[in-house]
Amino acid sequence: MSFIECDGLVKIFKTEEIEVMALQGLDMTVEKGELIAVIGKSGSGKSTLMNIVGGLEKPSAGRVLVDGVNLSELSEKEMDAYRKKRVGFVWQKAGRNLFGFLTSRDNIISAMQFTKLKKAEKEKRADMLLELVDMTKKADSLPANMSGGEQQRIGIAVALANDPDILLADEPTGAVDSMTSDMIFDMFRKLNKELGITIIIVTHDNSLAAKVDRVLSISDGKVSTESIIKEQVRKRLEELSGEEYSLAEGLFDNSHEEYSVLDKARRLQLSKEMLGAAGISGNRVKVSYKDGNIVISGEKSST
Ligand SMILES: Nc1ncnc2c1ncn2[C@@H]1O[C@H](COP(=O)(O)OP(=O)(O)OP(=O)(O)O)[C@@H](O)[C@H]1O
Ligand SMILES: [Mg+2]
């Protein structure tokens, strides 16, 4: 059994006029200690998935198992504990992660209010986290006196305050420049390696996604493709570190092998782009078996 298992997740949002099906039977598994990226067009369901895995929303159907526990079976109190202690959130707008009237250190300490740690222990842990995200020098600064990237690093420290097993980051680099994005992504890699924490990052930046071992692409509320890093690229990445790493940009061209994902009922989602390239426009295709391969062709070309 995987650490995180999403089975047939469906999420329907009802507004006055319409119903939106944000997730349409999404399956996903994440192993303990994995760092994965989730990409997909706007409205494809990425945030909805993160909110459900993080226990902020309940699915309309389907289930999420974390460490073998079905989140739907938790009492309200247990769910609250799950959200506060087992999951850390990093949001796109650093402001959402921080209180503007508190210093970096106090922001981190205030996130520990539900723990049993004594004051001195909290302070010690906050200083350790500040060092981990390389922000010791800004321990006494207010968010307003820090750059977006610095605020986001404090936001990561806040997310780690209660020593969670899972870090969920929803477009953590959406509001910063590309150099800062690189730095923040490298930070997630470092935390994943050093703390062994399981991390899921939503991003719309494919060049960032290319830096992680596995990338799930969501389309219309389902996982459509899964890209796995090529072994030689992964090895090379491990050899590089820090600054060298950001300079190795060219390395990421063709870094991953992309696979389409079959759902539980063996259905396959084909991209509009690929269908267009093959000149397939109708809703009927010919599926045939040829020389060990399955061939999909349009109605006309099959005659
Ligand atoms: N609270 C809500 N009420 C109604 N509809 C919603 C709600 N939250 C999300 N949706 C709809 O569900 C779909 C998926 O939304 P979601 O926010 O998960 O997409 P996303 O992939 O995160 O998009 P983006 O890249 O823009 O952040 C969209 O059609 C969205 O309009
Ligand atoms: Mg979103």
Side-chain angles (χ1 to χ4, degrees):
M1 176 174 271
S2 300
F3 184 51
I4 302 175
E5 280 200 22
C6 296
D7 289 333
L9 282 185
V10 172
K11 180 68 187 183
I12 299 169
F13 289 109
K14 288 194 184 98
T15 56
E16 276 169 29
E17 315 92 71
I18 45 160
E19 279 187 3
V20 178
M21 207 167 169
L23 298 181
Q24 310 193 15
L26 182 141
D27 300 320
M28 170 179 91
T29 55
V30 182
E31 302 308 323
K32 198 165 177 76
E34 245 196 307
L35 166 64
I36 70 162
V38 171
I39 58 170
K41 294 196 181 109
S42 179
S44 56
K46 304 181 297 294
S47 297
T48 306
L49 171 65
M50 297 292 266
N51 291 339
I52 291 177
V53 171
L56 296 174
E57 302 224 39
K58 282 195 185 308
S60 312
R63 56 178 203 164
V64 183
L65 299 181
V66 176
D67 218 357
V69 176
N70 185 343
L71 294 191
S72 318
E73 286 169 8
L74 296 182
S75 68
E76 218 155 285
K77 205 172 152 204
E78 289 167 329
M79 194 62 158
D80 206 42
Y82 170 77
R83 273 192 298 263
K84 285 182 186 133
K85 300 199 182 103
R86 301 206 63 186
V87 189
F89 288 96
V90 181
W91 308 100
Q92 172 170 0
K93 291 206 183 78
R96 188 168 173 188
N97 300 305
L98 305 173
F99 291 114
F101 54 89
L102 293 181
T103 63
S104 302
R105 185 187 284 111
D106 288 342
N107 258 297
I108 301 170
I109 290 172
S110 83
M112 298 176 203
Q113 58 179 304
F114 305 102
T115 62
K116 290 194 184 85
L117 294 183
K118 298 211 176 67
K119 190 161 174 273
E121 291 168 327
K122 287 182 183 171
E123 282 166 3
K124 205 172 143 203
R125 179 160 177 83
D127 287 336
M128 184 277 283
L129 289 169
L130 282 164
E131 203 179 312
L132 191 66
V133 297
D134 211 8
M135 287 294 287
T136 303
K137 58 187 183 301
K138 298 279 177 164
D140 299 310
S141 302
L142 291 171
N145 300 325
M146 290 186 278
S147 71
E150 288 172 339
Q151 288 181 24
Q152 203 52 301
R153 277 191 279 168
I154 299 299
I156 295 170
V158 167
L160 294 173
N162 297 317
D163 199 15
D165 305 313
I166 305 169
L167 198 55
L168 301 173
D170 196 349
E171 303 217 26
T173 62
V176 295
D177 62 67
S178 66
M179 232 173 80
T180 311
S181 298
D182 260 334
M183 185 265 287
I184 291 175
F185 240 73
D186 291 347
M187 177 69 64
F188 281 117
R189 280 184 73 96
K190 178 183 131 178
L191 295 174
N192 172 250
K193 212 168 166 187
E194 288 182 9
L195 306 177
I197 186 170
T198 308
I199 307 182
I200 307 180
I201 311 177
V202 169
T203 178
H204 57 256
D205 187 336
N206 289 1
S207 71
L208 288 179
K211 293 185 174 181
V212 311
D213 293 356
R214 193 158 71 99
V215 184
L216 301 183
S217 166
I218 297 192
S219 172
D220 296 308
K222 284 185 104 140
V223 175
S224 61
T225 68
E226 195 172 316
S227 302
I228 313 288
I229 201 163
K230 291 176 184 163
E231 189 52 28
Q232 70 268 30
V233 179
R234 199 184 58 74
K235 278 207 187 115
R236 186 92 180 87
L237 275 181
E238 263 175 18
E239 286 160 20
L240 298 168
S241 64
E243 282 155 55
E244 276 177 287
Y245 181 76
S246 334
L247 296 174
E249 220 45 70
L251 187 68
F252 305 112
D253 300 337
N254 294 316
S255 54
H256 289 58
E257 200 71 66
E258 185 178 288
Y259 295 93
S260 289
V261 175
L262 292 172
D263 72 9
K264 293 243 159 80
R266 304 171 306 283
R267 282 180 295 234
L268 187 65
Q269 197 178 51
L270 300 173
S271 70
K272 281 197 191 102
E273 292 75 20
M274 201 174 276
L275 288 172
I280 298 175
S281 55
N283 69 343
R284 272 202 292 249
V285 294
K286 190 95 180 167
V287 181
S288 52
Y289 175 82
K290 199 174 174 203
D291 306 331
N293 292 307
I294 293 170
V295 180
I296 298 172
S297 40
E299 225 173 340
K300 263 188 237 144
S301 60
S302 65
T303 53

